[in-house]
PDB file of all heavy atoms in Angstrom:
ATOM      1  N   ARG A  39      11.160  13.465 -19.750  1.00 62.00           N
ATOM      2  CA  ARG A  39      11.257  13.341 -21.177  1.00 62.00           C
ATOM      3  C   ARG A  39      11.282  14.683 -21.883  1.00 62.00           C
ATOM      4  O   ARG A  39      10.461  15.525 -21.639  1.00 62.00           O
ATOM      5  CB  ARG A  39      10.011  12.548 -21.591  1.00 62.00           C
ATOM      6  CG  ARG A  39       9.870  12.224 -23.036  1.00 62.00           C
ATOM      7  CD  ARG A  39      11.006  11.390 -23.559  1.00 62.00           C
ATOM      8  NE  ARG A  39      11.424  10.285 -22.720  1.00 62.00           N
ATOM      9  CZ  ARG A  39      10.723   9.130 -22.550  1.00 62.00           C
ATOM     10  NH1 ARG A  39       9.551   9.016 -23.048  1.00 62.00           N
ATOM     11  NH2 ARG A  39      11.206   8.176 -21.872  1.00 62.00           N
ATOM     12  N   ASP A  83      13.594   9.799 -27.681  1.00 96.00           N
ATOM     13  CA  ASP A  83      13.145   9.854 -26.296  1.00 96.00           C
ATOM     14  C   ASP A  83      13.975  10.886 -25.474  1.00 96.00           C
ATOM     15  O   ASP A  83      13.749  11.078 -24.289  1.00 96.00           O
ATOM     16  CB  ASP A  83      13.324   8.487 -25.621  1.00 96.00           C
ATOM     17  CG  ASP A  83      12.247   7.499 -26.079  1.00 96.00           C
ATOM     18  OD1 ASP A  83      11.201   7.945 -26.566  1.00 96.00           O
ATOM     19  OD2 ASP A  83      12.446   6.281 -25.934  1.00 96.00           O
ATOM     20  N   GLU A  85      17.074  10.649 -24.688  1.00 97.00           N
ATOM     21  CA  GLU A  85      17.911   9.929 -23.761  1.00 97.00           C
ATOM     22  C   GLU A  85      19.434  10.030 -24.095  1.00 97.00           C
ATOM     23  O   GLU A  85      20.233   9.553 -23.349  1.00 97.00           O
ATOM     24  CB  GLU A  85      17.547   8.431 -23.729  1.00 97.00           C
ATOM     25  CG  GLU A  85      16.189   8.152 -23.108  1.00 97.00           C
ATOM     26  CD  GLU A  85      16.234   8.173 -21.571  1.00 97.00           C
ATOM     27  OE1 GLU A  85      17.319   8.062 -20.987  1.00 97.00           O
ATOM     28  OE2 GLU A  85      15.184   8.332 -20.970  1.00 97.00           O
ATOM     29  N   GLU A 111       8.708   6.582 -36.949  1.00 93.00           N
ATOM     30  CA  GLU A 111       8.798   6.409 -35.497  1.00 93.00           C
ATOM     31  C   GLU A 111       8.199   7.614 -34.772  1.00 93.00           C
ATOM     32  O   GLU A 111       7.582   7.461 -33.713  1.00 93.00           O
ATOM     33  CB  GLU A 111      10.237   6.190 -35.063  1.00 93.00           C
ATOM     34  CG  GLU A 111      11.001   5.049 -35.721  1.00 93.00           C
ATOM     35  CD  GLU A 111      10.407   3.647 -35.382  1.00 93.00           C
ATOM     36  OE1 GLU A 111       9.348   3.572 -34.747  1.00 93.00           O
ATOM     37  OE2 GLU A 111      11.045   2.664 -35.835  1.00 93.00           O
ATOM     38  N   HIS A 113       5.740   9.594 -35.841  1.00 93.00           N
ATOM     39  CA  HIS A 113       4.276   9.495 -35.913  1.00 93.00           C
ATOM     40  C   HIS A 113       3.728   8.470 -34.928  1.00 93.00           C
ATOM     41  O   HIS A 113       2.705   8.657 -34.287  1.00 93.00           O
ATOM     42  CB  HIS A 113       3.833   9.169 -37.346  1.00 93.00           C
ATOM     43  CG  HIS A 113       3.898  10.306 -38.271  1.00 93.00           C
ATOM     44  ND1 HIS A 113       4.299  10.199 -39.572  1.00 93.00           N
ATOM     45  CD2 HIS A 113       3.618  11.632 -38.068  1.00 93.00           C
ATOM     46  CE1 HIS A 113       4.293  11.396 -40.160  1.00 93.00           C
ATOM     47  NE2 HIS A 113       3.869  12.286 -39.270  1.00 93.00           N
ATOM     48  N   ARG A 120      -0.063  11.314 -27.604  1.00 83.00           N
ATOM     49  CA  ARG A 120      -1.330  12.032 -27.779  1.00 83.00           C
ATOM     50  C   ARG A 120      -2.438  11.368 -26.949  1.00 83.00           C
ATOM     51  O   ARG A 120      -3.300  12.011 -26.372  1.00 83.00           O
ATOM     52  CB  ARG A 120      -1.706  11.966 -29.241  1.00 83.00           C
ATOM     53  CG  ARG A 120      -2.977  12.649 -29.654  1.00 83.00           C
ATOM     54  CD  ARG A 120      -3.440  12.171 -31.046  1.00 83.00           C
ATOM     55  NE  ARG A 120      -3.819  10.780 -31.034  1.00 83.00           N
ATOM     56  CZ  ARG A 120      -3.731   9.980 -32.082  1.00 83.00           C
ATOM     57  NH1 ARG A 120      -3.189  10.385 -33.205  1.00 83.00           N
ATOM     58  NH2 ARG A 120      -4.154   8.723 -31.975  1.00 83.00           N
ATOM     59  N   SER A 121      -2.328  10.058 -26.816  1.00 78.00           N
ATOM     60  CA  SER A 121      -3.413   9.311 -26.153  1.00 78.00           C
ATOM     61  C   SER A 121      -3.339   9.420 -24.645  1.00 78.00           C
ATOM     62  O   SER A 121      -4.275   9.061 -23.957  1.00 78.00           O
ATOM     63  CB  SER A 121      -3.330   7.832 -26.568  1.00 78.00           C
ATOM     64  OG  SER A 121      -2.213   7.252 -25.970  1.00 78.00           O
ATOM     65  N   LYS A 122      -2.238   9.989 -24.134  1.00 75.00           N
ATOM     66  CA  LYS A 122      -2.116   9.924 -22.673  1.00 75.00           C
ATOM     67  C   LYS A 122      -3.060  10.910 -21.952  1.00 75.00           C
ATOM     68  O   LYS A 122      -3.325  10.733 -20.764  1.00 75.00           O
ATOM     69  CB  LYS A 122      -0.692  10.145 -22.231  1.00 75.00           C
ATOM     70  CG  LYS A 122      -0.190  11.574 -22.351  1.00 75.00           C
ATOM     71  CD  LYS A 122       1.270  11.607 -21.953  1.00 75.00           C
ATOM     72  CE  LYS A 122       1.896  12.863 -22.386  1.00 75.00           C
ATOM     73  NZ  LYS A 122       3.356  12.800 -22.374  1.00 75.00           N
ATOM     74  N   ARG A 132      -3.135   3.185 -16.316  1.00 75.00           N
ATOM     75  CA  ARG A 132      -2.067   3.624 -15.404  1.00 75.00           C
ATOM     76  C   ARG A 132      -2.278   3.045 -14.025  1.00 75.00           C
ATOM     77  O   ARG A 132      -1.320   2.576 -13.396  1.00 75.00           O
ATOM     78  CB  ARG A 132      -2.049   5.132 -15.359  1.00 75.00           C
ATOM     79  CG  ARG A 132      -1.573   5.716 -16.677  1.00 75.00           C
ATOM     80  CD  ARG A 132      -2.149   7.072 -16.937  1.00 75.00           C
ATOM     81  NE  ARG A 132      -1.303   8.157 -16.473  1.00 75.00           N
ATOM     82  CZ  ARG A 132      -1.518   9.407 -16.788  1.00 75.00           C
ATOM     83  NH1 ARG A 132      -2.526   9.713 -17.584  1.00 75.00           N
ATOM     84  NH2 ARG A 132      -0.742  10.343 -16.374  1.00 75.00           N
ATOM     85  N   ARG A 134      -3.642   0.285 -13.274  1.00 77.00           N
ATOM     86  CA  ARG A 134      -3.294  -1.153 -13.303  1.00 77.00           C
ATOM     87  C   ARG A 134      -1.789  -1.361 -13.304  1.00 77.00           C
ATOM     88  O   ARG A 134      -1.289  -2.315 -12.706  1.00 77.00           O
ATOM     89  CB  ARG A 134      -3.971  -1.851 -14.514  1.00 77.00           C
ATOM     90  CG  ARG A 134      -5.423  -2.092 -14.250  1.00 77.00           C
ATOM     91  CD  ARG A 134      -6.105  -2.736 -15.390  1.00 77.00           C
ATOM     92  NE  ARG A 134      -5.217  -3.705 -16.063  1.00 77.00           N
ATOM     93  CZ  ARG A 134      -5.186  -3.876 -17.370  1.00 77.00           C
ATOM     94  NH1 ARG A 134      -5.940  -3.190 -18.158  1.00 77.00           N
ATOM     95  NH2 ARG A 134      -4.395  -4.782 -17.892  1.00 77.00           N
TER      96      ARG A 134
ATOM     97  N   GLU B  59       5.909   7.053 -44.233  1.00 83.00           N
ATOM     98  CA  GLU B  59       6.226   7.848 -43.066  1.00 83.00           C
ATOM     99  C   GLU B  59       5.248   7.564 -41.898  1.00 83.00           C
ATOM    100  O   GLU B  59       5.185   8.307 -40.924  1.00 83.00           O
ATOM    101  CB  GLU B  59       6.205   9.324 -43.432  1.00 83.00           C
ATOM    102  CG  GLU B  59       7.329   9.643 -44.422  1.00 83.00           C
ATOM    103  CD  GLU B  59       7.424  11.096 -44.801  1.00 83.00           C
ATOM    104  OE1 GLU B  59       6.726  11.937 -44.155  1.00 83.00           O
ATOM    105  OE2 GLU B  59       8.162  11.425 -45.726  1.00 83.00           O
ATOM    106  N   ILE B  66      -5.321   6.640 -35.903  1.00 86.00           N
ATOM    107  CA  ILE B  66      -5.754   5.640 -34.930  1.00 86.00           C
ATOM    108  C   ILE B  66      -6.295   6.314 -33.657  1.00 86.00           C
ATOM    109  O   ILE B  66      -5.611   7.189 -33.114  1.00 86.00           O
ATOM    110  CB  ILE B  66      -4.615   4.690 -34.603  1.00 86.00           C
ATOM    111  CG1 ILE B  66      -4.280   3.867 -35.874  1.00 86.00           C
ATOM    112  CG2 ILE B  66      -4.964   3.755 -33.446  1.00 86.00           C
ATOM    113  CD1 ILE B  66      -3.095   2.973 -35.780  1.00 86.00           C
ATOM    114  N   PHE B  72      -4.948   2.407 -26.503  1.00 88.00           N
ATOM    115  CA  PHE B  72      -4.995   1.796 -25.150  1.00 88.00           C
ATOM    116  C   PHE B  72      -5.225   0.299 -25.244  1.00 88.00           C
ATOM    117  O   PHE B  72      -4.606  -0.453 -24.492  1.00 88.00           O
ATOM    118  CB  PHE B  72      -6.100   2.405 -24.323  1.00 88.00           C
ATOM    119  CG  PHE B  72      -5.839   3.864 -23.969  1.00 88.00           C
ATOM    120  CD1 PHE B  72      -6.805   4.817 -24.163  1.00 88.00           C
ATOM    121  CD2 PHE B  72      -4.595   4.263 -23.456  1.00 88.00           C
ATOM    122  CE1 PHE B  72      -6.570   6.139 -23.855  1.00 88.00           C
ATOM    123  CE2 PHE B  72      -4.346   5.564 -23.161  1.00 88.00           C
ATOM    124  CZ  PHE B  72      -5.340   6.497 -23.351  1.00 88.00           C
ATOM    125  N   ASP B  76      -2.843  -2.482 -23.802  1.00 90.00           N
ATOM    126  CA  ASP B  76      -3.410  -3.411 -22.841  1.00 90.00           C
ATOM    127  C   ASP B  76      -3.084  -4.876 -23.177  1.00 90.00           C
ATOM    128  O   ASP B  76      -2.908  -5.704 -22.332  1.00 90.00           O
ATOM    129  CB  ASP B  76      -4.913  -3.220 -22.821  1.00 90.00           C
ATOM    130  CG  ASP B  76      -5.469  -3.295 -21.431  1.00 90.00           C
ATOM    131  OD1 ASP B  76      -4.648  -3.356 -20.489  1.00 90.00           O
ATOM    132  OD2 ASP B  76      -6.701  -3.278 -21.276  1.00 90.00           O
ATOM    133  N   GLU B  92       3.557   8.009 -18.884  1.00 87.00           N
ATOM    134  CA  GLU B  92       3.975   8.732 -17.676  1.00 87.00           C
ATOM    135  C   GLU B  92       5.215   9.591 -17.883  1.00 87.00           C
ATOM    136  O   GLU B  92       5.633  10.305 -16.995  1.00 87.00           O
ATOM    137  CB  GLU B  92       4.258   7.715 -16.556  1.00 87.00           C
ATOM    138  CG  GLU B  92       3.047   6.920 -16.125  1.00 87.00           C
ATOM    139  CD  GLU B  92       1.978   7.748 -15.449  1.00 87.00           C
ATOM    140  OE1 GLU B  92       2.259   8.937 -15.130  1.00 87.00           O
ATOM    141  OE2 GLU B  92       0.866   7.252 -15.256  1.00 87.00           O
ATOM    142  N   ASP B  93       5.818   9.515 -19.073  1.00 89.00           N
ATOM    143  CA  ASP B  93       6.982  10.304 -19.386  1.00 89.00           C
ATOM    144  C   ASP B  93       8.191  10.085 -18.475  1.00 89.00           C
ATOM    145  O   ASP B  93       8.967  11.030 -18.275  1.00 89.00           O
ATOM    146  CB  ASP B  93       6.625  11.814 -19.349  1.00 89.00           C
ATOM    147  CG  ASP B  93       5.887  12.240 -20.616  1.00 89.00           C
ATOM    148  OD1 ASP B  93       5.982  11.516 -21.623  1.00 89.00           O
ATOM    149  OD2 ASP B  93       5.220  13.275 -20.567  1.00 89.00           O
ATOM    150  N   LEU B  94       8.315   8.936 -17.914  1.00 93.00           N
ATOM    151  CA  LEU B  94       9.518   8.682 -17.089  1.00 93.00           C
ATOM    152  C   LEU B  94      10.705   8.437 -18.013  1.00 93.00           C
ATOM    153  O   LEU B  94      10.566   7.885 -19.115  1.00 93.00           O
ATOM    154  CB  LEU B  94       9.308   7.482 -16.180  1.00 93.00           C
ATOM    155  CG  LEU B  94       8.219   7.509 -15.123  1.00 93.00           C
ATOM    156  CD1 LEU B  94       8.513   6.451 -14.047  1.00 93.00           C
ATOM    157  CD2 LEU B  94       8.104   8.857 -14.480  1.00 93.00           C
ATOM    158  N   TYR B  96      14.377   6.597 -18.977  1.00 97.00           N
ATOM    159  CA  TYR B  96      14.814   5.185 -18.855  1.00 97.00           C
ATOM    160  C   TYR B  96      15.355   4.941 -17.421  1.00 97.00           C
ATOM    161  O   TYR B  96      15.072   3.912 -16.830  1.00 97.00           O
ATOM    162  CB  TYR B  96      15.889   4.864 -19.840  1.00 97.00           C
ATOM    163  CG  TYR B  96      15.509   4.933 -21.312  1.00 97.00           C
ATOM    164  CD1 TYR B  96      16.465   4.689 -22.312  1.00 97.00           C
ATOM    165  CD2 TYR B  96      14.216   5.187 -21.728  1.00 97.00           C
ATOM    166  CE1 TYR B  96      16.131   4.761 -23.664  1.00 97.00           C
ATOM    167  CE2 TYR B  96      13.876   5.256 -23.067  1.00 97.00           C
ATOM    168  CZ  TYR B  96      14.843   5.042 -24.036  1.00 97.00           C
ATOM    169  OH  TYR B  96      14.525   5.115 -25.380  1.00 97.00           O
ATOM    170  N   GLN B 122       3.398  -1.446 -32.647  1.00 93.00           N
ATOM    171  CA  GLN B 122       3.285  -1.018 -34.016  1.00 93.00           C
ATOM    172  C   GLN B 122       2.597  -2.073 -34.886  1.00 93.00           C
ATOM    173  O   GLN B 122       1.809  -1.747 -35.751  1.00 93.00           O
ATOM    174  CB  GLN B 122       4.700  -0.730 -34.580  1.00 93.00           C
ATOM    175  CG  GLN B 122       5.316   0.523 -33.990  1.00 93.00           C
ATOM    176  CD  GLN B 122       6.723   0.799 -34.495  1.00 93.00           C
ATOM    177  OE1 GLN B 122       7.379  -0.080 -35.071  1.00 93.00           O
ATOM    178  NE2 GLN B 122       7.218   1.986 -34.216  1.00 93.00           N
TER     179      GLN B 122
END
Side-chain angles (χ1 to χ4, degrees):
Chain A
R39 182 61 44 72
D83 286 339
E85 290 281 342
E111 304 294 7
H113 283 141
R120 179 196 69 209
S121 71
K122 73 183 166 197
R132 291 151 93 168
R134 283 180 36 219
Chain B
E59 296 182 10
I66 294 174
F72 293 131
D76 221 6
E92 298 293 349
D93 282 340
L94 297 199
Y96 296 177
Q122 288 179 345

